[in-house]
Amino acid sequence: MKKRGISHIEVILSFVLFITAVGFGLYLFNSGDGTRIVSTTISYAFREIEKNTSTSLEFFSVNVNGALIMSGEIALNFSGVTGDTTILTYDGRILNSSRGGTNGELIYISSQNWVGEDFIYVVFGEEFSEDTLSETAEHNETYYRIGSSEAREVISERKFKMLNQAYYADYRGLKSQSNFNLPDRADFGFSLEFDNGDSIVAENSIPDNFEIFSEKKRVEVLREDGSVTFADLIVKVW
């Protein structure tokens, strides 16, 4: 039996198939590597943004016996708890408040009408601006009962605005080793979008031919007015 040699056409076809297989393999490899870089960059950006903009709050739930309160101002005893305060009603309204007493143990709270005000939060943190009240109310234990407490890490709107300013002032420096340490080949932007339409956006111009990857995370935010609400934290990578 005679052995048939390989024809030129078969050689060419074999070569084409080889190049196609290698090219496809490289494409898959690069695509996977790119996906990993994007995923890692977004995760790292979320972590660094939250680390640079978070603040600690301690919430105390307080049951109020509004039917007994005759005046507009009451005093609550929070001896041993440090920090400035804000007072939130159950529906999120802010009540005027200030600290007083011999050692700052009393929290003075003012409301136009305590009737029907059955529940409030006394929140301690480092970023609150307290009001100056008369601090003449006497402490009356029958007016209230302190319930459970909870510590939370939330996003500070004030710190987020500072990070926003740093983004535009020195973007490359923000990505450097001493800050975010993101890869040179990846650019990023971020924003905080509130349900009422307010937003804080840090985002450089994105070239038209670049693919954009983004992820969104629901976060709790301490606003500059002392209220606490939810917003969407969005990170984009391109």
Side-chain angles (χ1 to χ4, degrees), residues 152-169:
R152 300 185 203 168
E153 287 288 322
V154 304
I155 299 295
S156 161
E157 182 181 15
R158 180 184 66 84
K159 290 183 178 180
F160 199 91
K161 286 183 175 179
M162 292 173 61
L163 187 62
N164 174 278
Q165 293 171 0
Y167 180 93
Y168 289 112

Side-chain angles (χ1 to χ4, degrees), residues 56-58 60 78 81-85 99 107 122-125 128:
S56 298
L57 299 180
E58 189 169 9
F60 286 85
F78 274 88
V81 184
T82 60
D84 296 325
T85 62
R99 297 205 72 158
I107 308 297
V122 178
V123 189
F124 292 85
F128 298 125

Side-chain angles (χ1 to χ4, degrees), residues 109-148:
I109 306 171
S110 176
S111 176
Q112 293 182 348
N113 186 8
W114 285 103
V115 177
E117 203 74 82
D118 300 323
F119 185 88
I120 60 174
Y121 288 106
V122 178
V123 189
F124 292 85
E126 62 180 7
E127 297 192 29
F128 298 125
S129 298
E130 296 178 338
D131 301 294
T132 302
L133 301 181
S134 62
E135 300 183 4
T136 57
E138 294 185 3
H139 177 242
N140 188 328
E141 293 182 352
T142 65
Y143 288 170
Y144 70 97
R145 180 173 59 85
I146 298 175
S148 60

Side-chain angles (χ1 to χ4, degrees), residues 32-47 186 213 215 235 237:
D33 184 61
T35 301
R36 285 193 295 271
I37 289 174
V38 168
S39 178
T40 301
T41 300
I42 289 179
S43 297
Y44 196 83
F46 267 117
R47 185 167 65 249
F213 303 87
E215 287 188 14
V235 172
V237 173

Side-chain angles (χ1 to χ4, degrees), residues 21 46 52 62 96 101 124 141 145 191-192 196 216 225 233:
F46 267 117
N52 282 275
V62 179
N96 293 335
F124 292 85
E141 293 182 352
R145 180 173 59 85
S191 62
L192 198 60
N196 66 356
K216 179 170 61 176
D225 64 1
L233 174 59

Side-chain angles (χ1 to χ4, degrees), residues 19-34:
I19 293 299
T20 302
V22 171
F24 184 69
L26 290 174
Y27 170 79
L28 289 179
F29 177 80
N30 289 333
S31 175
D33 184 61

